[in-house]
Amino acid sequence: EPEVTQTPSHQVTQMGQEVILRCVPISNHLYFYWYRQILGQKVEFLVSFYNNEISEKSEIFDDQFSVERPDGSNFTLKIRSTKLEDSAMYFCASRGDSDSGGYTFGSGTRLTVV
Amino acid sequence: DAKTTQPTSMDCAEGRAANLPCNHSTISGNEYVYWYRQIHSQGPQYIIHGLKNNETNEMASLIITEDRKSSTLILPHATLRDTAVYYCIVRVGAAGNKLTFGGGTRVLVKP
């Protein structure tokens, strides 16, 4: 069964450093998403991406965040200057072009900012 | 997207059917009902979705009331590995729309 692959599984970084979280969505999918989940809290939407541009973003997704699909297969989330409160699980998801189809999530990257 | 209401938690016995309710009384005609689950801290896993008709797949069945204001996810023979948080999400059926997760129901399957 096709999978969404995320790397690394765990990243530890110092406050103020830049991090890039990587995702390989399912190959024929067209819509891509990043979500995050702070420990013990809900899964929160960050951003959606379609046709090489952001289609929607949440209030969390401020100027410190950016997304890119650099080579047609990878989908990355960059945090420019990490803060302690950015510590969370980050999930990538993708879906096809059916109006009602399911979303496939990756297994996540646990980001720890120290 | 319409708001959903789910019980915070429920227990069920291994081997028995687990019936997970969800209220979505403000659902509109073009909104689908989706169910996802999250086992421990893994990524959410798609279970099933429907618009009006009841649906069944290899994982579960989805029963949607005729007025569409509530639904029930049925896990026919719960196993210990079905212990997870189950999310009922209502979403407009436009291809790019995001999923909005609530608190879900924490299901504990007991031996």
Side-chain angles (χ1 to χ4, degrees):
Chain A
E1 189 170 327
E3 288 185 344
V4 172
T5 304
Q6 290 187 244
T7 55
S9 56
H10 191 185
Q11 171 111 30
V12 181
T13 188
Q14 289 204 323
M15 192 167 53
Q17 295 295 304
E18 173 184 288
V19 295
I20 297 176
L21 309 183
R22 302 181 192 280
C23 169
V24 179
I26 292 173
S27 61
N28 62 348
H29 280 185
L30 301 176
Y31 298 88
F32 313 109
Y33 307 84
W34 283 101
Y35 288 78
R36 80 171 186 191
Q37 187 175 31
I38 295 170
L39 187 64
Q41 298 187 22
K42 297 177 185 177
V43 177
E44 300 175 289
F45 168 76
L46 291 178
V47 66
S48 57
F49 192 86
Y50 170 72
N51 201 25
N52 284 321
E53 61 183 23
I54 290 173
S55 46
E56 186 176 358
K57 59 183 180 179
S58 72
E59 290 180 355
I60 303 167
F61 194 88
D62 61 21
D63 292 344
Q64 293 298 313
F65 291 88
S66 62
V67 289
E68 196 176 35
R69 189 158 158 79
D71 56 11
S73 62
N74 290 286
F75 179 50
T76 62
L77 174 69
K78 183 193 292 186
I79 309 175
R80 257 181 276 284
S81 177
T82 50
K83 302 187 279 285
L84 295 176
E85 54 264 39
D86 293 327
S87 295
M89 284 290 291
Y90 287 81
F91 297 108
C92 173
S94 70
R95 61 170 300 185
D97 62 358
S98 164
D99 280 355
S100 66
Y103 299 66
T104 304
F105 284 78
S107 56
T109 292
R110 181 175 298 283
L111 176 65
T112 303
V113 182
V114 297
Chain B
D1 292 337
K3 183 178 166 59
T4 62
T5 304
Q6 299 179 252
T8 304
S9 64
M10 62 184 293
D11 296 345
C12 66
E14 186 181 19
R16 304 294 294 270
N19 297 300
L20 282 61
C22 179
N23 284 319
H24 31 80
S25 58
T26 59
I27 193 171
S28 57
N30 62 346
E31 289 180 311
Y32 289 78
V33 180
Y34 288 80
W35 283 85
Y36 281 76
R37 72 180 182 183
Q38 188 176 27
I39 298 172
H40 195 46
S41 293
Q42 297 177 24
Q45 178 189 21
Y46 167 79
I47 302 173
I48 200 167
H49 74 280
L51 182 63
K52 297 180 185 176
N53 300 322
N54 298 337
E55 303 287 345
T56 295
N57 63 20
E58 65 278 3
M59 289 182 69
S61 295
L62 173 61
I63 309 298
I64 303 174
T65 57
E66 194 169 335
D67 63 6
R68 302 185 69 239
K69 294 186 176 183
S70 66
S71 60
T72 301
L73 179 74
I74 301 172
L75 308 177
H77 304 285
T79 70
L80 299 180
R81 288 182 295 179
D82 291 323
T83 291
V85 179
Y86 287 76
Y87 300 99
C88 170
I89 299 169
V90 173
R91 174 195 164 272
V92 173
N97 281 4
K98 65 183 184 290
L99 294 171
T100 300
F101 289 83
T105 296
R106 188 171 297 275
V107 174
L108 177 60
V109 180
K110 296 181 174 179

